[in-house]
Amino acid sequence: MAIACLFWLVLVAVYDCRKRRVPNWLVLAGALTALAALVLGAQPFGTDWRAALLGMLAGFLLIAFYATGLMGAGDVKFAGALGLWVGLSALIPIWIGASLLASAHSVLWLALKRWPFFPRLALMLAGPSRTPESGVPTRRIRIIPYAAYLALTAAAWMVWGRQS
């Protein structure tokens, strides 16, 4: 099941980097797989039901960041599903690591926007361009692929952070 989780994390990271969104079907697939692992007793990270549910609830607490416009809804839902996999005790350092990566992303993007020495890198960091359709109001463009950073940090935790 650890391979299934890692595959899911890679899919989320790639999708979020390319589209700057995480689709509901992808979040649901990860959450259902995590629940199946818990039910079957095949949870690869030693997370029990209590820790998994607390991790999911903690992930959904990020809704405060969505309410203030700092995160997308997909990022919050992904954090909740990720909490089912890793539990509360691992979700907190994963969240901190992802926040540091997202901060570095935004600082680099702002610097490149201000001093355009590498315009292609600035465009890549900004994500895909969205052209508004006539008569349809544009949504706020998300620069930071936060779910991707959560997924990458979780994958790094899976590989290196759990080794004691």
Side-chain angles (χ1 to χ4, degrees), residues 1-154:
M1 282 289 195
I3 297 296
C5 181
L6 189 58
F7 181 70
W8 175 64
L9 292 172
V10 169
L11 283 176
V12 168
V14 169
Y15 203 101
D16 195 30
C17 282
R18 293 190 68 179
K19 304 282 187 177
R20 293 301 196 264
R21 59 182 300 272
V22 181
N24 289 335
W25 64 265
L26 192 52
V27 172
L28 189 59
L32 290 175
T33 308
L35 287 173
L38 284 165
V39 167
L40 297 173
Q43 215 291 340
F45 310 117
T47 305
D48 61 1
W49 278 97
R50 183 177 180 275
L53 292 176
L54 285 174
M56 180 188 72
L57 289 173
F60 284 132
L61 287 178
L62 296 178
I63 194 130
F65 291 101
Y66 169 73
T68 59
L70 296 173
M71 287 177 70
D75 300 333
V76 175
K77 291 181 274 188
F78 172 70
L82 180 61
L84 277 173
W85 276 106
V86 301
L88 179 61
S89 63
L91 187 63
I92 292 171
I94 288 170
W95 177 58
I96 291 169
S99 297
L100 291 173
L101 289 174
S103 297
H105 179 122
S106 63
V107 167
L108 181 59
W109 177 74
L110 287 171
L112 290 173
K113 188 177 166 190
R114 184 171 182 146
W115 300 291
F117 295 120
F118 304 103
R120 286 189 172 190
L121 181 58
L123 286 174
M124 184 183 77
L125 288 172
S129 62
R130 294 196 175 115
T131 56
E133 297 175 16
S134 61
V136 178
T138 57
R139 291 185 354 197
R140 181 178 166 183
I141 295 175
R142 305 246 180 249
I143 301 297
I144 309 296
Y146 192 71
Y149 289 131
L150 278 171
L152 292 172
T153 308

